[in-house]
Amino acid sequence: MAGLRERKKEQTRCRIEQVAMRLFAERGFDDVTVNEIAEAAEVAKVTLFKYFPSKEALVLDGVKEDFAGIVAARQDDRSVVDAVRDHCALMVRADAPEVATLVRIISGSPALLVGLQAVQAGQRAELAAVLAAEQDEITARLMAAQLMSTVTALQELFFEGRLTDDAVKRAFDLLENGMRGH
Amino acid sequence: MAGLRERKKEQTRCRIEQVAMRLFAERGFDDVTVNEIAEAAEVAKVTLFKYFPSKEALVLDGVKEDFAGIVAARQDDRSVVDAVRDHCALMVRADAPEVATLVRIISGSPALLVGLQAVQAGQRAELAAVLAAEQDEITARLMAAQLMSTVTALQELFFEGRLTDDAVKRAFDLLENGMRGH
DNA sequence: CTAAATTCTGTACCCGGTTCATCTATGAAC
DNA sequence: GTTCATAGATGAACCGGGTACAGAATTTAG
């Protein structure tokens, strides 16, 4: 297994993605054309779209986080909120330079920010499906919506470089205790 | 005031929108081309795009709801959650046939559903700005995110024809009391 | 009536994305 | 090593949303 064919495919996919990210980092997402990417990666435009369904996917394919899996696989003594909180607490520490580049690229393009919303909508649906095993369906959807919107808000803070432990704490306190006091 | 120029503009804008909605209702959003709309409305394509910034805007311009204004203008004795809840309670009763058509059009087009997310992101930002007058900024953003995600979830139920008084009640109970019990 | 400011129009173009027919390289069988 | 089916790559033509531009038409002001 892992014949020549599949190795080459993986190689091509990787080359396309790397070339694209380099160009995006240099000149911004909106100022790079898919024709340029294809040319620089030495593939035909059609080929590029066989590997990535859209230009946005070149960037966003790598940013999906599997909240549904995280929640489904949590310890017995942890609540749903705990599971998501634990994961977000790790986010605060992420500071690889490569992540910073990614954030810069995404933040600088309205198209990518919209695409990010779409990704998150998918995550929300997955999470709702998992929660539906423990709650009635409507509650599951409402919880998934609130959880993901909190994650998104924290992600935005992260993008602005303002994500702190305290912000995470307050976010999940609000989720757990509600807005009655506010 | 209300010179000929402005009257004609309003007229043209209205004609474009009506023609577009008729075509969308007949054949679906994705199967109607902006060239067709422009032709049917007897304007040039360029003109159409001067009135509406995108094809999606032809449908979505009419669905913005001013939650920020609703919250800002609430009675002194009502909480933020109350204000939004009151507004959503009215939504349950909406059943004009024209609304049903709109829902059918939006639900039938992925592009419009994505566009709707973008509209909601804008509403969230506006709401956060209003809440920032009463809360610290991070809390304001978190609250706005949770409120709007709840509204969106309810809107989805509405789209599916499953929005009930009970669903609204449970949604806002969850918002006010949090997820601790779940 | 004339001149200036606005708006509309057609044309040509760009870019993301798809279709199609064709060609090349791979892997399997002999 | 040759043959052959097939997956995959290719270029070129095309589609639809959206924009740039230059010029024509029309409202408004003087």
Coordinates of all heavy atoms in Angstrom, one line a residue, chain D residues 8-19:
Chain D
dG8 P -7.6 8.7 -8.5 OP1 -7.0 8.6 -7.2 OP2 -9.1 9.0 -8.6 O5' -6.8 9.8 -9.3 C5' -5.5 9.6 -9.7 C4' -5.0 10.5 -10.7 O4' -5.7 10.2 -12.0 C3' -5.5 12.0 -10.5 O3' -4.3 12.7 -10.2 C2' -6.2 12.4 -11.8 C1' -5.8 11.3 -12.8 N9 -6.8 11.0 -13.8 C8 -8.1 10.6 -13.5 N7 -8.8 10.4 -14.6 C5 -7.9 10.7 -15.6 C6 -8.1 10.7 -17.1 O6 -9.1 10.4 -17.7 N1 -6.9 11.1 -17.7 C2 -5.7 11.4 -17.1 N2 -4.7 11.7 -17.9 N3 -5.5 11.4 -15.8 C4 -6.7 11.1 -15.1
dA9 P -4.3 14.3 -10.1 OP1 -3.2 14.7 -9.2 OP2 -5.7 14.8 -9.9 O5' -3.9 14.7 -11.6 C5' -2.6 14.5 -12.1 C4' -2.4 15.2 -13.4 O4' -3.3 14.6 -14.3 C3' -2.6 16.7 -13.4 O3' -1.5 17.3 -14.0 C2' -3.9 16.9 -14.2 C1' -4.0 15.6 -15.1 N9 -5.3 15.1 -15.3 C8 -6.3 14.8 -14.4 N7 -7.4 14.4 -14.8 C5 -7.2 14.5 -16.2 C6 -8.1 14.2 -17.3 N6 -9.3 13.7 -17.2 N1 -7.6 14.3 -18.6 C2 -6.3 14.8 -18.7 N3 -5.4 15.1 -17.7 C4 -6.0 14.9 -16.5
dT10 P -1.5 18.9 -14.2 OP1 -0.1 19.3 -14.3 OP2 -2.4 19.5 -13.2 O5' -2.2 19.0 -15.6 C5' -1.5 18.5 -16.8 C4' -2.3 18.8 -18.0 O4' -3.6 18.1 -18.0 C3' -2.7 20.3 -18.1 O3' -2.0 20.9 -19.2 C2' -4.2 20.3 -18.4 C1' -4.5 18.9 -18.7 N1 -5.8 18.4 -18.2 C2 -6.8 18.0 -19.1 O2 -6.6 18.1 -20.3 N3 -8.0 17.6 -18.6 C4 -8.3 17.6 -17.2 O4 -9.4 17.2 -16.8 C5 -7.2 18.0 -16.3 C7 -7.5 17.9 -14.8 C6 -6.1 18.4 -16.8
dG11 P -1.6 22.4 -19.1 OP1 -0.2 22.6 -19.6 OP2 -2.0 23.0 -17.8 O5' -2.6 23.0 -20.2 C5' -2.5 22.5 -21.5 C4' -3.7 22.8 -22.3 O4' -4.8 22.1 -21.7 C3' -4.1 24.3 -22.3 O3' -4.6 24.6 -23.6 C2' -5.3 24.3 -21.3 C1' -5.9 23.0 -21.5 N9 -6.7 22.5 -20.4 C8 -6.4 22.6 -19.1 N7 -7.3 22.0 -18.3 C5 -8.2 21.5 -19.2 C6 -9.4 20.7 -18.9 O6 -9.9 20.4 -17.8 N1 -10.1 20.4 -20.1 C2 -9.6 20.7 -21.4 N2 -10.4 20.3 -22.4 N3 -8.5 21.4 -21.6 C4 -7.9 21.7 -20.5
dA12 P -4.5 26.0 -24.3 OP1 -3.4 26.0 -25.2 OP2 -4.6 27.0 -23.2 O5' -5.9 26.0 -25.1 C5' -6.5 24.8 -25.4 C4' -8.0 25.0 -25.3 O4' -8.6 24.4 -24.1 C3' -8.5 26.4 -25.4 O3' -9.6 26.6 -26.2 C2' -8.8 26.7 -23.9 C1' -9.4 25.4 -23.5 N9 -9.5 25.1 -22.1 C8 -8.5 25.5 -21.1 N7 -8.8 25.2 -19.9 C5 -10.0 24.5 -20.1 C6 -10.9 23.8 -19.1 N6 -10.6 23.8 -17.8 N1 -12.0 23.2 -19.6 C2 -12.2 23.3 -20.9 N3 -11.5 23.8 -21.9 C4 -10.4 24.4 -21.4
dA13 P -10.2 28.0 -26.6 OP1 -9.5 28.4 -27.8 OP2 -10.1 28.9 -25.4 O5' -11.7 27.8 -26.9 C5' -12.3 26.5 -26.8 C4' -13.5 26.5 -25.9 O4' -13.1 26.2 -24.5 C3' -14.3 27.8 -25.8 O3' -15.6 27.6 -26.2 C2' -14.1 28.3 -24.4 C1' -13.9 27.0 -23.7 N9 -13.1 27.1 -22.4 C8 -12.0 27.8 -22.2 N7 -11.6 27.8 -20.9 C5 -12.5 27.0 -20.3 C6 -12.7 26.7 -18.9 N6 -11.8 27.0 -18.0 N1 -13.8 25.9 -18.6 C2 -14.6 25.6 -19.6 N3 -14.6 25.9 -20.9 C4 -13.5 26.6 -21.2
dC14 P -16.7 28.7 -26.2 OP1 -17.7 28.3 -27.2 OP2 -16.0 30.0 -26.4 O5' -17.4 28.7 -24.8 C5' -18.1 27.6 -24.4 C4' -18.4 27.7 -22.9 O4' -17.1 27.8 -22.2 C3' -19.2 28.9 -22.5 O3' -20.5 28.5 -22.2 C2' -18.5 29.5 -21.2 C1' -17.5 28.4 -20.9 N1 -16.2 28.9 -20.2 C2 -16.1 28.7 -18.9 O2 -16.9 28.1 -18.2 N3 -15.0 29.2 -18.3 C4 -14.0 29.8 -19.0 N4 -12.9 30.3 -18.4 C5 -14.2 30.0 -20.4 C6 -15.3 29.6 -21.0
dC15 P -21.7 29.7 -22.1 OP1 -22.9 29.2 -22.7 OP2 -21.1 31.0 -22.6 O5' -21.9 29.9 -20.5 C5' -22.1 28.7 -19.7 C4' -22.1 29.1 -18.3 O4' -20.7 29.2 -17.8 C3' -22.8 30.4 -18.0 O3' -23.9 30.2 -17.1 C2' -21.7 31.3 -17.5 C1' -20.7 30.4 -17.0 N1 -19.3 30.9 -17.1 C2 -18.5 31.1 -16.0 O2 -18.9 30.8 -14.9 N3 -17.2 31.6 -16.1 C4 -16.8 31.9 -17.3 N4 -15.5 32.4 -17.4 C5 -17.6 31.8 -18.5 C6 -18.8 31.3 -18.3
dG16 P -25.0 31.4 -16.9 OP1 -26.3 30.6 -16.9 OP2 -24.8 32.4 -18.0 O5' -24.7 32.0 -15.5 C5' -24.3 31.3 -14.4 C4' -23.8 32.2 -13.4 O4' -22.4 32.4 -13.6 C3' -24.4 33.5 -13.3 O3' -24.6 33.9 -12.0 C2' -23.5 34.4 -14.1 C1' -22.1 33.8 -13.7 N9 -21.1 34.1 -14.6 C8 -21.2 34.1 -16.0 N7 -20.1 34.4 -16.6 C5 -19.2 34.5 -15.6 C6 -17.8 34.9 -15.6 O6 -17.1 35.1 -16.6 N1 -17.2 35.0 -14.3 C2 -17.9 34.7 -13.2 N2 -17.2 34.9 -12.0 N3 -19.2 34.4 -13.1 C4 -19.8 34.4 -14.4
dG17 P -25.4 35.2 -11.5 OP1 -26.5 34.7 -10.7 OP2 -25.7 36.0 -12.7 O5' -24.3 36.0 -10.7 C5' -23.8 35.4 -9.5 C4' -22.6 36.1 -9.0 O4' -21.6 36.2 -10.0 C3' -22.9 37.6 -8.7 O3' -22.1 38.0 -7.6 C2' -22.4 38.3 -9.9 C1' -21.2 37.5 -10.3 N9 -20.9 37.5 -11.7 C8 -21.7 37.3 -12.8 N7 -21.2 37.4 -13.9 C5 -19.8 37.7 -13.6 C6 -18.7 38.0 -14.5 O6 -18.7 38.0 -15.7 N1 -17.6 38.3 -13.8 C2 -17.5 38.3 -12.4 N2 -16.3 38.7 -11.9 N3 -18.5 38.1 -11.6 C4 -19.7 37.8 -12.3
dG18 P -22.5 39.3 -6.7 OP1 -22.1 39.1 -5.3 OP2 -23.9 39.6 -7.0 O5' -21.5 40.3 -7.3 C5' -20.1 40.2 -7.1 C4' -19.3 41.1 -7.9 O4' -19.4 40.6 -9.3 C3' -19.8 42.5 -8.0 O3' -18.7 43.3 -7.3 C2' -19.9 42.9 -9.4 C1' -19.1 41.7 -10.1 N9 -19.6 41.5 -11.5 C8 -20.8 41.0 -11.9 N7 -20.9 40.9 -13.2 C5 -19.6 41.3 -13.7 C6 -19.1 41.3 -15.0 O6 -19.7 41.0 -16.0 N1 -17.8 41.7 -15.0 C2 -17.0 42.0 -13.9 N2 -15.8 42.4 -14.1 N3 -17.5 42.0 -12.7 C4 -18.8 41.6 -12.6
dT19 P -18.7 44.9 -7.3 OP1 -18.2 45.3 -6.0 OP2 -20.1 45.3 -7.7 O5' -17.7 45.3 -8.5 C5' -16.5 44.7 -8.5 C4' -15.6 45.3 -9.6 O4' -16.1 44.9 -10.9 C3' -15.7 46.9 -9.6 O3' -14.4 47.3 -9.8 C2' -16.6 47.2 -10.8 C1' -16.3 46.0 -11.7 N1 -17.4 45.6 -12.7 C2 -17.1 45.6 -14.0 O2 -16.0 45.8 -14.5 N3 -18.1 45.2 -14.8 C4 -19.4 44.9 -14.4 O4 -20.3 44.6 -15.2 C5 -19.7 45.0 -13.0 C7 -21.0 44.7 -12.5 C6 -18.6 45.3 -12.2

